[in-house]
Amino acid sequence: MPVSRLRRPPCTLRAALLTAATALVCILTPIAVPASATATTPAPGGASADQVPGMDVSRHQGTVDWQGAWDNGARWAYVKATEGTDFQSPTFAEQFQGAYDVGMIRGAYHFARPDTSGGAEQAQNLVDHGGKWTDDGRTLPPALDIEYNPNGDDVCYGRSQSDMVAWIREFSDTVNELTGRHPAIYTTADWWTQCTGNDASFGSTNPLWIARYAASPGTLPAGWSDHTFWQYADSGTFPGDQNWFNGTQEELEALAKG
């Protein structure tokens, strides 16, 4: 069973996450997240000031100091729930509840394995094990983590571009049927271009969670005029990966409310 969540691909692939000035360097310098969580918080270079700090975690973070993250400014979190068709994170329930208990808005994400099954089966795994959505104002739409294959050189999991688009569509439609929300899509511009042919058909339905370890989100995949979430570093002030929500606290609450 893969340990999942290869956020940091090999240097040959990781260059796509870096600016041109640093593309030849395979060392990432995390961007510190300020403690304040107000809409006027100073943001990393090139980013808007109207952003809300957040984080994402998996079983690799173990027991998370949620109160410490809250005190340092985090106001939302995504927690890994599932992977493929048969993996459920053993720390999901504790982490998901811990984020809620300190006041965070939180959501569940699924690590995609298009090489092991169809999208509908994996969507069912997510919804059955933490990916349900409720309009309580504290639950983000589920998220699909679709990125570099952690188990080999075939970054597209053996699927053609058209097959990959169909797989993502099946996953997204199934989640929507089961929860009433289309999932956010976590990806990189490089992976999306390489493995979907830079398909533009998801921008009108699925929030974009872009990963780019740089001073700005950069050029987005086709179909999205803006991002909703931005993962900009794999370590920093909070446990796990460091993120911004692209909007105010009120807009974040509206997204959760649906």
Side-chain angles (χ1 to χ4, degrees):
M1 172 64 64
V3 297
S4 88
R5 202 118 205 283
L6 185 65
R7 296 290 194 191
R8 294 154 293 281
C11 291
T12 55
L13 298 176
R14 190 192 308 168
L17 300 176
L18 306 177
T19 60
T22 58
L24 298 179
V25 182
C26 289
I27 299 174
L28 300 178
T29 303
I31 304 170
V33 176
S36 172
T38 66
T40 57
T41 298
S48 166
D50 288 336
Q51 298 183 98
V52 182
M55 53 195 279
D56 63 277
V57 296
S58 68
R59 68 188 176 98
H60 299 297
Q61 279 68 52
T63 299
V64 173
D65 179 8
W66 292 104
Q67 188 61 56
W70 175 270
D71 292 344
N72 283 325
R75 292 296 179 264
W76 61 274
Y78 266 110
V79 180
K80 180 175 180 179
T82 52
E83 177 176 329
T85 57
D86 57 2
F87 175 79
Q88 297 89 43
S89 172
T91 58
F92 171 77
E94 177 186 1
Q95 292 174 340
F96 199 66
Q97 186 64 42
Y100 182 88
D101 287 345
V102 298
M104 289 189 193
I105 297 172
R106 77 282 190 261
Y109 80 83
H110 174 85
F111 188 91
R113 290 296 307 274
D115 55 334
T116 64
S117 77
E121 296 169 81
Q122 297 195 27
Q124 189 72 58
N125 187 28
L126 171 62
V127 174
D128 287 347
H129 299 95
K132 293 180 180 178
W133 175 80
T134 58
D135 63 351
D136 59 0
R138 299 283 303 280
T139 307
L140 292 167
L144 172 66
D145 179 345
I146 184 84
E147 55 168 293
Y148 306 94
N149 185 352
N151 297 307
D153 296 330
D154 184 355
V155 298
C156 300
Y157 300 88
R159 289 185 177 265
S160 68
Q161 292 176 341
S162 60
D163 284 346
M164 186 63 75
V165 171
W167 192 97
I168 298 169
R169 177 64 61 199
E170 182 179 293
F171 182 96
S172 177
D173 287 348
T174 303
V175 169
N176 185 49
E177 291 169 4
L178 295 173
T179 70
R181 299 295 300 270
H182 285 96
I185 293 177
Y186 170 98
T187 195
T188 71
D190 174 76
W191 186 92
W192 193 261
T193 298
Q194 184 174 351
C195 297
T196 76
N198 207 20
D199 181 81
S201 65
F202 294 90
S204 63
T205 54
N206 300 77
L208 174 63
W209 183 3
I210 191 70
R212 186 171 189 258
Y213 297 170
S216 74
T219 301
L220 302 179
W224 284 283
S225 59
D226 214 340
H227 65 286
T228 300
F229 304 101
W230 169 27
Q231 184 191 92
Y232 64 85
D234 61 358
S235 63
T237 300
F238 311 132
D241 299 317
Q242 315 295 292
N243 293 268
W244 291 100
F245 169 74
N246 188 26
T248 65
Q249 179 70 28
E250 290 74 19
E251 289 169 328
L252 176 64
E253 293 168 1
L255 175 65
K257 193 68 175 174

